[in-house]
Amino acid sequence: SQTIHQWPATLVQPVGSPLSLECTVEGTSNPNLYWYRQAAGRGLQLLFYSVGIGQISSEVPQNLSASRPQDRQFILSSKKLLLSDSGFYLCAWSPRARSDFNYGYTFGSGTRLTVV
Amino acid sequence: QKEVEQNSGPLSVPEGAIASLNCTYSDRGSQSFFWYRQYSGKSPELIMSIYSNGDKEDGRFTAQLNKASQYVSLLIRDSQPSDSATYLCATTGGFKTIFGAGTRLFVKA
C-alpha cells in the first residue's frame, strides 16, 4: 500500500532562519506531488506542485521554494523565514493521471511551523 | 479567480440526524469533485469523490453533483459524534485542486 511521510511534525523557527521540510512517498511510482499551506482557521493554499523529477510549478510568489530531487521525494525550503510563513504545511500525492482528471489526494500528517 | 465557496458554519446536528453540507464552485471546467474530512489539528482525509452528475453513495455518505448549477453537496446519514470535524469541498481542473475553506460540523450526543 502507498504511504506518505512528512517531517518534522512541529517546528519553531526564528525570523530569518532557513527552512527545510521533507516529504517522501512509498509504494507508488511517478506520483504528482503537492505542497499546501493552511493558515489558522483558513483554507488550503496551493504553494507548489510537481509532475516529475525536477519539474516544479509555483503558485504563490514568495520566499519559499520547492525541489523534487527524486521521484518520490519533495522538499520545501526557505532561505529566510518571515513571520507570515507560520502555518500548517501539508504535503500530498495523487496518482499520475491525465491533466483533466484527478483521483484525489492523500495528505501527509503535516508540519506545524511557528515563526517567532 | 477560481473559487470554491462553503458556509463556514458551525453546523450543529443531533446524533442520528442527517447532516447536509453544501458547496458551490466557479470553474465550469472542473471535472473532479471531492469531499475531505479534517479533524482538529490533523491533515485532511479524502472521504468522497464524484465525477458525474447525480448521487454517489458510500456507506453513510452521499455526494451529490449538479454541474449545471455548479453545486456539490455531502449528506451524512445517522450522524455520529465522531463525524464532528471540518469538511472541505474541493474541485480539480487540470493538475491543481482548489479547496473551499471548509464547514465545521458538530454532532451533539
Side-chain angles (χ1 to χ4, degrees), chain A:
Chain A
S1 63
Q2 302 90 1
T3 56
I4 178 169
H5 302 280
Q6 188 180 343
W7 67 93
T10 59
L11 197 57
V12 180
Q13 292 284 98
V15 169
S17 64
L19 174 73
S20 180
L21 303 180
E22 190 164 342
C23 170
T24 60
V25 181
E26 296 179 354
T28 188
S29 298
N30 302 315
N32 290 340
L33 296 173
Y34 307 84
W35 279 111
Y36 278 84
R37 178 172 62 198
Q38 186 175 39
R42 305 284 294 276
L44 294 171
Q45 179 187 34
L46 178 62
L47 301 176
F48 302 94
Y49 69 94
S50 172
V51 299
I53 296 174
Q55 300 179 59
I56 308 294
S57 296
S58 173
E59 290 297 302
V60 184
Q62 53 196 349
N63 66 321
L64 299 174
S65 62
S67 63
R68 184 170 177 173
Q70 301 180 42
D71 180 48
R72 290 169 290 177
Q73 183 184 28
F74 205 23
I75 298 171
L76 181 70
S77 303
S78 174
K79 292 182 179 178
K80 289 185 177 182
L81 285 169
L82 307 173
L83 285 174
S84 58
D85 291 325
S86 294
F88 191 37
Y89 287 81
L90 292 157
C91 181
W93 79 273
S94 67
R96 183 66 55 85
R98 64 180 193 267
S99 63
D100 61 345
F101 186 83
N102 192 286
Y103 295 101
Y105 294 168
T106 299
F107 284 91
S109 55
T111 295
R112 196 163 303 279
L113 172 66
T114 304
V115 182
V116 296

Side-chain angles (χ1 to χ4, degrees), chain B residues 22-43:
Chain B
N22 305 311
C23 164
T24 58
Y25 60 95
S26 63
D27 181 12
R28 286 194 172 274
S30 297
Q31 296 294 327
S32 308
F33 305 86
F34 308 96
W35 284 97
Y36 291 80
R37 178 177 62 202
Q38 185 175 24
Y39 292 114
S40 180
K42 302 297 185 182
S43 59

Side-chain angles (χ1 to χ4, degrees), chain B:
Chain B
Q1 177 151 347
K2 301 173 184 177
E3 294 182 340
V4 175
E5 299 287 341
Q6 295 181 255
N7 188 320
S8 62
L11 172 66
S12 184
V13 300
E15 183 176 359
I18 296 175
S20 178
L21 306 167
N22 305 311
C23 164
T24 58
Y25 60 95
S26 63
D27 181 12
R28 286 194 172 274
S30 297
Q31 296 294 327
S32 308
F33 305 86
F34 308 96
W35 284 97
Y36 291 80
R37 178 177 62 202
Q38 185 175 24
Y39 292 114
S40 180
K42 302 297 185 182
S43 59
E45 173 193 14
L46 179 65
I47 57 171
M48 288 290 287
S49 58
I50 186 167
Y51 303 101
S52 56
N53 282 327
D55 295 358
K56 178 182 178 182
E57 185 175 320
D58 184 0
R60 295 186 296 111
F61 299 99
T62 298
Q64 300 174 317
L65 173 61
N66 183 325
K67 289 186 177 181
S69 300
Q70 296 177 247
Y71 179 89
V72 190
S73 65
L74 178 71
L75 300 177
I76 306 175
R77 291 181 300 281
D78 188 24
S79 295
Q80 301 297 309
S82 59
D83 295 325
S84 297
T86 297
Y87 289 81
L88 307 176
C89 175
T91 70
T92 298
F95 291 109
K96 295 177 286 186
T97 295
I98 307 298
F99 287 83
T103 298
R104 290 167 56 201
L105 172 67
F106 289 110
V107 181
K108 299 173 294 184

